[in-house]
């Protein structure tokens, strides 16, 4: 095993980010305040949204969005291949997630399957820009218009992704981000919701603080889902280097794309046309018959060569015990195939071109050694 392990994520704050946090800690103004307000303005400006509202996590962002629009029993179309929060927050807001299969190449929600699931109760669709790969936004918008649906974009993994030259954060009904430590922006715990709709912005802003529209005066129900000023200060500072971090991820992904296309049995996620992927994860699908060993065997062999990998996600949401219990057994062939064959390779902003070349060489070596 090599002594230099290539990690799957880089979670290191800069001195400027640490100083920003310390400045707030010293001030004693720990709760949501001026830093959150400034972060909201700066993030909205960066992505081109009218409003941005900070909150305590990406899950909280989704929960607030769903709470703002759902009545009990309302249905939301959700891809079956994503992190659980995209669907579980629908349930926590009183709705029902209706799972839809994915496209096997982009790993994004399949609108044909979604169309077959439309009922009178369908209220919204929650497409996920999975791993930072933007959905075909125009197609989703046309679909939502046709069926009169609200769109809750899950952009937890897509800071800086663009579609037709426009940041994915600017296409709101709701665009929900996470700042969890492995994400493209990382402040500890935190989330933000972008929207261009004044009424949605108003509701979410107050639902985030127990629906308190005046001092101890509550006109709606909500939760305590506030971000703290410490996290917001880190976020404000980090926003300044988002483009730089993304440029490294994109360079790394390009080298991987070039290097891996020649390897039979390895298929990288297909990028949506007219878009710029944010490469939160660089995922490949490993075809055992063609490549010569399974995804799990490849992961183990790469580990021995000092390269960490990840599996996002090992099963579809419809296969999660809790959802099987709630909604019975369902079958989504594309999701199940991808879940069984997918592998995430390191792509993050802390990796050099040499690191990325080592990953490619190591995959070649694994194949040769089979
Ligand atoms: C697609 C997706 N949605 C939602 C979330 C939830 O974000 P958080 O962990 O900040 O609650 C995540 C985080 O892992 C995610 O990857």
């Amino acid at each position: 095993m090599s002594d230099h392990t290539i990690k799957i994520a880089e979670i290191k704050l800069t001195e400027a980010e640490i100083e920003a946090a310390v400045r707030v800690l010293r001030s004693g103004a720990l709760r949501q305040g001026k830093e959150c307000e400034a972060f909201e303005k700066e993030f909205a400006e960066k992505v081109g949204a009218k409003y941005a509202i900070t909150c305590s996590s990406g899950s909280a962002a989704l929960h607030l969005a769903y709470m703002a629009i759902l009545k009990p029993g309302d249905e939301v179309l959700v891809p079956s291949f994503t992190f659980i929060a995209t669907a579980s927050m629908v349930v926590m807001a009183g709705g029902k997630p209706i799972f839809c299969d994915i496209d096997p190449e982009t790993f994004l929600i399949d609108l044909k399957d979604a169309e077959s699931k439309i009922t009178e109760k369908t209220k919204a669709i929650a497409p996920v820009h999975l791993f930072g790969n933007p959905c075909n936004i125009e197609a989703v918008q046309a679909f939502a218009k046709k069926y009169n649906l609200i769109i809750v974009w899950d952009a937890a993994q897509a800071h800086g992704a663009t579609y037709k030259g426009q940041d994915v954060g600017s296409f709101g009904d709701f665009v929900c981000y996470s700042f969890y430590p492995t994400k493209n922006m990382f402040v500890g715990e935190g989330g933000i919701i972008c929207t261009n709709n004044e009424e949605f912005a108003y509701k979410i802003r107050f639902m985030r603080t127990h629906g308190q529209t005046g001092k101890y005066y509550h006109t709606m129900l909500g939760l305590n889902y506030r971000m703290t000023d410490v996290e917001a200060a880190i976020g404000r500072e980090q926003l300044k280097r988002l483009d730089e971090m993304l440029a490294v991820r994109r360079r790394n992904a390009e080298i991987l794309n070039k290097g891996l296309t020649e390897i039979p049995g390895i298929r990288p996620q297909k990028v949506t046309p007219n878009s710029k992927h944010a490469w939160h994860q660089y995922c490949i699908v490993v075809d055992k018959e063609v490549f010569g060993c399974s995804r799990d065997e490849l992961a183990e062999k790469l580990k021995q060569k000092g390269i960490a990998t990840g599996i996002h996600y090992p099963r579809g949401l419809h296969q999660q015990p809790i959802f099987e219990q709630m909604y019975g057994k369902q079958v989504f062939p594309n999701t199940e195939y991808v879940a069984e064959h997918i592998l995430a390779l390191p792509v993050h902003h802390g990796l050099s071109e040499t690191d990325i070349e080592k990953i490619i060489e190591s995959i070649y070596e694994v194949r040769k050694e089979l």
Side-chain angles (χ1 to χ4, degrees):
M1 165 116 50
S2 151
D3 51 358
H4 169 63
T5 297
I6 299 181
K7 293 182 291 178
I8 193 75
E10 164 105 343
I11 307 157
K12 220 187 269 170
L13 297 182
T14 61
E15 281 309 309
E17 287 158 17
I18 293 166
E19 272 169 30
V22 169
R23 177 171 44 79
V24 176
L25 288 170
R26 287 225 167 87
S27 78
L30 304 181
R31 64 186 174 88
Q32 176 192 293
K34 286 197 168 65
E35 294 289 335
C36 282
E37 215 174 288
F39 186 33
E40 289 174 350
K41 245 178 106 186
E42 289 160 10
F43 197 90
E45 239 172 65
K46 174 82 183 159
V47 303
K50 268 198 190 154
Y51 310 97
I53 297 116
T54 52
C55 57
S56 54
S57 69
S59 307
L62 288 164
H63 193 195
L64 287 165
Y66 294 140
M67 284 197 312
I69 57 170
L70 296 182
K71 289 190 310 305
D74 279 349
E75 295 178 353
V76 181
L77 301 166
V78 175
S80 47
F81 192 63
T82 174
F83 181 65
I84 191 163
T86 320
S88 59
M89 292 301 112
V90 171
V91 183
M92 301 312 279
K96 181 176 181 193
I98 303 296
F99 296 123
C100 307
D101 209 352
I102 53 162
D103 176 279
E105 295 193 328
T106 60
F107 314 153
L108 305 173
I109 192 164
D110 173 2
L111 290 179
K112 277 211 184 77
D113 194 40
E115 190 154 35
S116 72
K117 310 272 162 65
I118 292 275
T119 72
E120 279 182 356
K121 292 186 186 160
T122 315
K123 177 78 185 184
I125 181 165
V128 182
H129 302 306
L130 198 71
F131 308 137
N133 192 20
C135 297
N136 180 336
I137 290 184
E138 279 179 0
V140 174
Q141 284 176 328
F143 180 87
K145 194 166 175 208
K146 181 171 174 190
Y147 294 105
N148 195 24
L149 307 179
I150 295 167
I151 310 175
V152 178
W153 300 102
D154 185 335
Q157 307 178 351
H159 316 68
T162 65
Y163 178 79
K164 294 205 166 168
Q166 223 177 302
D167 196 292
V168 298
S170 63
F171 295 94
D173 300 336
F174 299 96
V175 190
C176 301
Y177 291 89
S178 161
F179 298 119
Y180 181 75
T182 57
K183 299 291 193 280
N184 287 9
M185 279 188 72
F186 42 100
V187 308
E189 295 284 3
I192 205 162
I193 305 153
C194 293
T195 178
N196 294 328
N197 180 310
E198 192 179 350
E199 185 198 328
F200 292 159
Y202 176 87
K203 271 191 176 170
I204 282 178
R205 207 171 277 290
F206 290 109
M207 281 177 166
R208 168 185 64 175
T209 305
H210 288 294
Q212 179 172 264
T213 46
K215 181 86 178 158
Y216 294 126
Y217 186 78
H218 304 265
T219 52
M220 50 193 126
L221 294 178
L223 291 134
N224 172 0
Y225 268 169
R226 294 182 295 267
M227 182 184 266
T228 71
D229 261 16
V230 179
E231 289 150 342
I234 297 171
R236 290 183 69 195
E237 195 55 47
Q238 204 170 78
L239 196 55
K240 296 178 192 163
R241 67 172 172 129
L242 174 61
D243 289 343
E244 203 181 299
M245 291 191 289
L246 277 170
V248 178
R249 283 179 185 272
R250 285 181 175 137
R251 179 206 63 196
N252 290 347
E254 206 177 307
I255 302 173
L256 285 168
N257 278 337
K258 279 198 191 120
L260 299 177
T261 45
E262 301 295 311
I263 307 182
I266 298 286
R267 176 165 62 79
Q269 180 183 25
K270 184 179 164 195
V271 181
T272 301
N274 303 313
S275 72
K276 265 190 156 180
H277 200 302
W279 301 110
H280 164 57
Q281 301 286 355
Y282 185 95
C283 288
I284 55 172
V285 161
V286 183
D287 181 337
K288 181 179 173 175
E289 305 313 317
V290 182
F291 181 70
C293 78
S294 71
R295 175 269 311 271
D296 293 339
E297 286 165 314
L298 174 58
E300 182 50 39
K301 287 175 197 292
L302 287 176
K303 188 174 162 197
Q304 284 164 12
K305 291 177 186 292
I307 297 165
T309 56
I311 297 177
H312 315 285
Y313 301 92
R315 57 181 58 78
L317 288 186
H318 63 289
Q319 298 169 300
Q320 290 293 347
I322 182 63
F323 288 133
E324 274 189 0
Q325 221 173 297
M326 291 170 74
Y327 308 125
K329 278 214 184 296
Q330 300 178 68
V331 178
F332 295 102
N334 294 339
T335 291
E336 288 166 32
Y337 180 85
V338 172
E340 278 168 33
H341 296 83
I342 198 163
L343 188 66
L345 303 174
V347 71
H348 61 79
H349 62 276
L351 296 175
S352 65
E353 293 181 48
T354 313
D355 291 326
I356 298 296
E357 269 145 23
K358 180 174 175 205
I359 297 170
I360 298 166
E361 275 163 30
S362 301
I363 297 177
Y364 270 105
E365 275 172 29
V366 170
R367 188 149 196 270
K368 248 201 271 159
E369 288 160 9
L370 287 172

